Amino acid sequence: MDEAEDQKPRSATQTEEGALGGQNPEITFTEKEMATQAFQNIQLRQKMARLFQQYRNKGPEPIFKKYQVRVTSNPHAVKDKISVTVTKKEKVVLLSVENNGTKQVYFTLQTFDFVKNIFTVRDCDGNIIKAINDHLLRPRESYKMKIHFSSDHSGLYEQLLFFKFERGHQRSETFDIMRLLEVVRRTPQSKEDSHAGSKVVKRFQTTRRTPLTGCETNLTPVVHLRKYTLPKNIENTEELNRNLEERKLNWRNYAWRFHLLLHLEEYEICAALMKCNRDEVLLITHQSENDMLLLKADDILNNCNVVLTGCDVLVTPLNEQNEMEEKISYKGWVEDVNEEQIYLRFDEIFPEDFIKGVRCKLVFLLQRMPLRMQHRAAALACKYGLKGLLFPVGQHSTQRSCLMPVTAKFVRTPMLENNPEQQKAVRHILARSAKPAPYLIFGPPGTGKTVTLIEVIKQIVLTQDSNILVCAPSNSATDHLCEKILKENIVPHEVFRLYCLSYKVDKIPEIVKMHCSFNPATSTFEIPPKKDLMSYKIMVTTLQTAGRLVTGGVSPGHYSYIIVDEAGQAVETECLIPIAGLLKPLSGQVVLAGDPKQLGPIILSTIAQRNGLGEQHAYSVCQCVKV
């Protein structure tokens, strides 16, 4: 897409005043140049008009029926034209390219702007898209974008969006989809017009509820989180497996290797989710919550080997009376799963038809945020030079550090007096004797790993002026840690439990409610600004939600200690999420606690499993203290 040059179409009068009268020194076009430019614009407009008219004559239905590919928008397109009337200078139009078929497709986007510097195309993260070329859409995948309109002047503005698709063996099938975006920019005529517009908006909003995922966040993104889309050759698993076996894990290929392992795992998860899809299934609304649909678990879980909680879902009611009508789909997420039912939550409030049950098409979609966080962690590990953490000099060097005398300040307590092994662990962690390698506390369940961690936190608070980040893979394990810290009365006013925005309020322990991101006045979760988050001495959160601290730009080195409990239940890149970007390896100490002999994380990809995705590399390199 060309860079914009001129925001406002000039009238003949304005042009002549600027060129001949010299009143506007910024306009330097000669009459000949302006005439040439105007003629070229007219030719382009005529060409695009003919092309768009030819496309409209075909109609969109044959394309969708044949290829199951479509471009949807908000506002909706009528006869391929998206018409918007605005009184403000800016407007955002949402577009989604959706592949509902069974074959993968590639698409390229071309845009034609008849007036420059008016429209910009951005992805969901707000990044400007200069071009989209050969973007792969696998079955059931979609690509979302935003068209940003901005103009200080009234008028009619148009942008033609030209999507070219390729599909099939050797991409031999080709087809096009076009959308004409037409924006009428007006100045408000009267207060009555403004009030009329606001009434329309209110009527529209009564059909939707405030989404849980749209809760208040005051944490401004600083560190970018990329998409990390699947590579085009991901289906060639044999070749990828050979590459992994030929290039054994080392520091130089660390990021490449874990990116590939995560891609292989994502590919298998998507394949498993596709087996859970249903062309027809009965959905009913919850008795007391009409933004939730219920589904019998037996219909899905019998052939399911993937965790559904947290996945996105796409529900399309089946309209048997009018099959030609474009079907409306609702996008939500799996909030909970038990032995009897699957609970699907949506932003929409469903009509009364769903009370008795509606036959629907159901599609499960992977929520990619956790994988994207892990990809970024692998990349940041290399950027911030965590070689000493991930590849300690040797097993014996770390064991020797456990035998060296330490001089860190220490407060004697009854718990430590009766357990010399735990006392040794606490002393070495306080001295940060293992850094840059992680200090490991391992042992079977019930041996006191968590008790040792709580004592470590207490000793750090009593003897040092240091900030501590405490994490665990699951919310239940994290809540357990937070409860223990608060019950020990370790600076309770400086303890903060950071929850993800979609967490269920009724699962928060009572003792934690006054120390977390839940606002009882508004019954919503809030993410405080960075300054507030950095004011707490002890931050407690899950490995995944810790990624928000990285995104928000909390500075590396702010936390002198990063403690991860139940580390054996997480893959290595999950444990890296709070470490890569927040740790200064030469000054900070990482503590990992867990049982490496316990059943670890579930890995669906046999290639990824065989090549180490389910292993904690640190456990095999620097085991230190067993409790």
Side-chain angles (χ1 to χ4, degrees):
M1 286 168 278
D2 296 333
E3 287 292 328
E5 297 175 355
D6 183 7
Q7 189 180 32
K8 180 184 173 185
R10 300 185 178 89
S11 67
T13 306
Q14 290 172 317
T15 301
E16 289 170 0
E17 287 177 352
L20 301 178
Q23 296 177 8
N24 190 345
E26 295 180 359
I27 302 175
T28 58
F29 293 120
T30 65
E31 288 187 15
K32 183 177 181 181
E33 288 172 336
M34 291 180 59
T36 302
Q37 184 180 9
F39 180 70
Q40 290 173 347
N41 288 341
I42 292 171
Q43 282 188 317
L44 174 63
R45 187 180 181 85
Q46 289 176 341
K47 178 183 177 181
M48 291 301 105
R50 287 194 299 269
L51 195 62
F52 183 61
Q53 191 59 48
Q54 291 171 2
Y55 171 77
R56 292 181 72 178
N57 291 337
K58 295 179 184 177
E61 197 62 35
I63 289 177
F64 184 71
K65 274 188 167 296
K66 184 175 182 180
Y67 302 107
Q68 292 294 295
V69 174
R70 65 182 178 182
V71 176
T72 61
S73 62
N74 184 12
H76 295 295
V78 178
K79 294 184 178 179
D80 309 306
K81 184 165 72 173
I82 307 167
S83 299
V84 181
T85 300
V86 296
T87 55
K88 296 182 179 180
K89 63 179 291 185
E90 294 182 348
K91 176 68 178 178
V92 177
V93 176
L94 307 179
L95 264 76
S96 177
V97 185
E98 301 172 359
N99 179 13
N100 296 319
T102 57
K103 297 181 181 180
Q104 63 184 28
V105 297
Y106 296 83
F107 80 87
T108 297
L109 171 63
Q110 292 178 283
T111 62
F112 299 92
D113 300 341
F114 302 114
V115 180
K116 300 295 183 181
N117 206 27
I118 297 296
F119 298 98
T120 54
V121 182
R122 299 174 182 264
D123 61 20
C124 336
D125 297 325
N127 304 306
I128 295 178
I129 302 172
K130 296 293 184 183
I132 300 178
N133 295 308
D134 283 343
H135 183 86
L136 173 62
L137 276 184
R138 291 185 173 80
R140 307 298 181 186
E141 281 190 348
S142 63
Y143 182 93
K144 300 187 186 318
M145 67 186 78
K146 301 176 181 178
I147 312 297
H148 286 249
F149 164 84
S150 178
S151 177
D152 293 320
H153 310 286
S154 302
L156 171 65
Y157 301 92
E158 293 176 315
Q159 183 184 50
L160 184 63
L161 305 166
F162 192 179
F163 298 88
K164 297 180 71 68
F165 294 86
E166 295 177 339
R167 193 185 78 156
H169 182 62
Q170 296 183 344
R171 296 159 66 167
S172 55
E173 296 178 278
T174 62
F175 57 97
D176 305 328
I177 295 180
M178 291 189 187
R179 290 292 182 268
L180 179 65
L181 175 57
E182 181 183 87
V183 180
V184 177
R185 165 80 160 92
R186 292 179 177 172
T187 53
Q189 297 298 316
S190 65
K191 292 184 178 180
E192 294 179 0
D193 292 340
S194 300
H195 293 326
S198 64
K199 289 178 182 177
V200 173
V201 172
K202 288 179 181 178
R203 284 200 301 270
F204 173 75
Q205 289 177 339
T206 56
T207 63
R208 301 176 66 85
R209 68 172 182 85
T210 302
L212 286 176
T213 52
C215 298
E216 185 67 26
T217 175
N218 299 300
L219 189 61
T220 305
V222 175
V223 180
H224 180 57
L225 180 62
R226 290 173 49 199
K227 293 292 185 183
Y228 298 102
T229 54
L230 287 173
K232 295 179 181 179
N233 66 335
I234 193 65
E235 295 179 359
N236 193 352
T237 53
E238 292 184 6
E239 180 183 347
L240 297 176
N241 184 44
R242 283 197 302 271
N243 292 340
L244 288 166
E245 291 179 349
E246 291 171 1
R247 301 174 61 182
K248 297 301 181 182
L249 177 65
N250 58 58
W251 173 242
R252 289 186 177 181
N253 68 19
Y254 185 87
W256 166 84
R257 189 177 179 87
F258 274 98
H259 284 319
L260 181 53
L261 293 176
L262 290 169
H263 284 316
L264 288 165
E265 178 65 5
E266 179 179 352
Y267 181 69
E268 289 299 327
I269 294 174
C270 290
L273 285 175
M274 286 185 66
K275 295 178 182 178
C276 299
N277 297 340
R278 295 292 181 269
D279 290 331
E280 185 175 347
V281 71
L282 182 66
L283 298 177
I284 61 173
T285 51
H286 191 278
Q287 289 184 350
S288 58
E289 302 178 58
N290 53 3
D291 59 350
M292 176 179 285
L293 297 181
L294 305 181
L295 166 69
K296 284 187 178 180
D298 290 343
D299 294 338
I300 305 295
L301 299 184
N302 289 338
N303 299 314
C304 181
N305 64 341
V306 64
V307 177
L308 294 178
T309 305
C311 287
D312 291 335
V313 290
L314 197 65
V315 169
T316 307
L318 301 176
N319 187 351
E320 299 178 358
Q321 296 179 349
N322 189 358
E323 295 184 357
M324 295 294 292
E325 183 179 340
E326 187 174 357
K327 301 185 185 301
I328 299 174
S329 296
Y330 302 93
K331 190 168 184 178
W333 65 96
V334 181
E335 186 171 272
D336 202 2
V337 177
N338 59 32
E339 293 181 356
E340 296 181 355
Q341 291 179 317
I342 298 175
Y343 299 82
L344 312 178
R345 180 78 71 175
F346 296 82
D347 288 339
E348 287 82 8
I349 293 175
F350 290 95
E352 295 181 358
D353 299 352
F354 280 82
I355 296 176
K356 297 180 180 180
V358 173
R359 311 299 296 187
C360 299
K361 181 179 180 179
L362 178 64
V363 176
F364 290 93
L365 304 167
L366 176 65
Q367 170 50 258
R368 298 190 68 251
M369 185 63 71
L371 285 170
R372 291 170 61 194
M373 288 285 189
Q374 293 178 61
H375 276 290
R376 184 178 67 180
L380 290 179
C382 297
K383 177 180 177 181
Y384 288 107
L386 301 187
K387 182 179 180 180
L389 174 85
L390 298 168
F391 295 87
V393 176
Q395 181 179 0
H396 300 294
S397 66
T398 314
Q399 290 177 339
R400 282 199 303 271
S401 71
C402 297
L403 303 175
M404 294 166 56
V406 293
T407 58
K409 191 175 180 181
F410 177 76
V411 177
R412 295 186 178 275
T413 62
M415 190 278 284
L416 293 179
E417 289 293 333
N418 299 326
N419 194 319
E421 199 70 28
Q422 289 178 332
Q423 183 180 139
K424 182 172 68 173
V426 172
R427 283 179 173 273
H428 279 279
I429 292 170
L430 290 174
R432 308 182 201 178
S433 59
K435 65 178 176 59
Y439 195 93
L440 306 181
I441 301 174
F442 68 100
T447 53
K449 297 185 296 296
T450 302
V451 173
T452 304
L453 292 181
I454 299 301
E455 185 65 26
V456 165
I457 295 168
K458 183 190 297 184
Q459 291 283 341
I460 294 171
V461 172
L462 290 173
T463 62
Q464 302 180 21
D465 183 19
S466 298
N467 296 316
I468 311 164
L469 176 60
V470 185
C471 300
S474 66
N475 275 296
S476 57
T478 307
D479 280 337
H480 179 66
L481 275 170
C482 194
E483 285 183 282
K484 291 282 187 182
I485 293 170
L486 292 171
K487 286 177 180 177
E488 287 289 327
N489 202 30
I490 306 174
V491 287
H493 60 287
E494 293 190 63
V495 177
F496 189 80
R497 169 67 165 103
L498 180 64
Y499 284 101
C500 65
L501 292 176
S502 58
Y503 195 63
K504 295 185 72 173
V505 176
D506 56 7
K507 290 186 177 181
I508 303 175
E510 283 298 321
I511 193 173
V512 179
K513 283 185 177 179
M514 298 304 294
H515 302 270
C516 72
S517 50
F518 176 70
N519 186 342
T522 59
S523 297
T524 59
F525 284 98
E526 297 177 352
I527 303 295
K530 181 174 72 172
K531 182 180 178 181
D532 292 352
L533 290 172
M534 293 178 69
S535 68
Y536 294 99
K537 184 174 286 291
I538 303 174
M539 176 65 64
V540 187
T541 189
T542 61
L543 294 171
Q544 288 290 343
T545 306
R548 282 189 173 272
L549 301 174
V550 180
T551 301
V554 173
S555 55
H558 175 72
Y559 297 107
S560 302
Y561 293 88
I562 298 178
I563 298 173
V564 180
D565 196 11
E566 300 293 348
Q569 298 296 311
V571 299
E572 184 163 324
T573 44
E574 277 186 284
C575 286
L576 274 179
I577 291 173
I579 297 171
L582 295 179
L583 177 76
K584 270 193 175 179
L586 297 180
S587 60
Q589 179 66 67
V590 173
V591 181
L592 302 178
D595 182 5
K597 295 183 179 180
Q598 235 179 0
L599 183 65
I602 298 173
I603 306 296
L604 295 188
S605 169
T606 54
I607 297 175
Q609 176 75 44
R610 190 165 58 246
N611 285 279
L613 183 61
E615 297 177 3
Q616 281 285 355
H617 177 62
Y619 277 123
S620 62
V621 176
C622 52
Q623 295 180 351
C624 203
V625 171
K626 182 177 181 179
V627 295

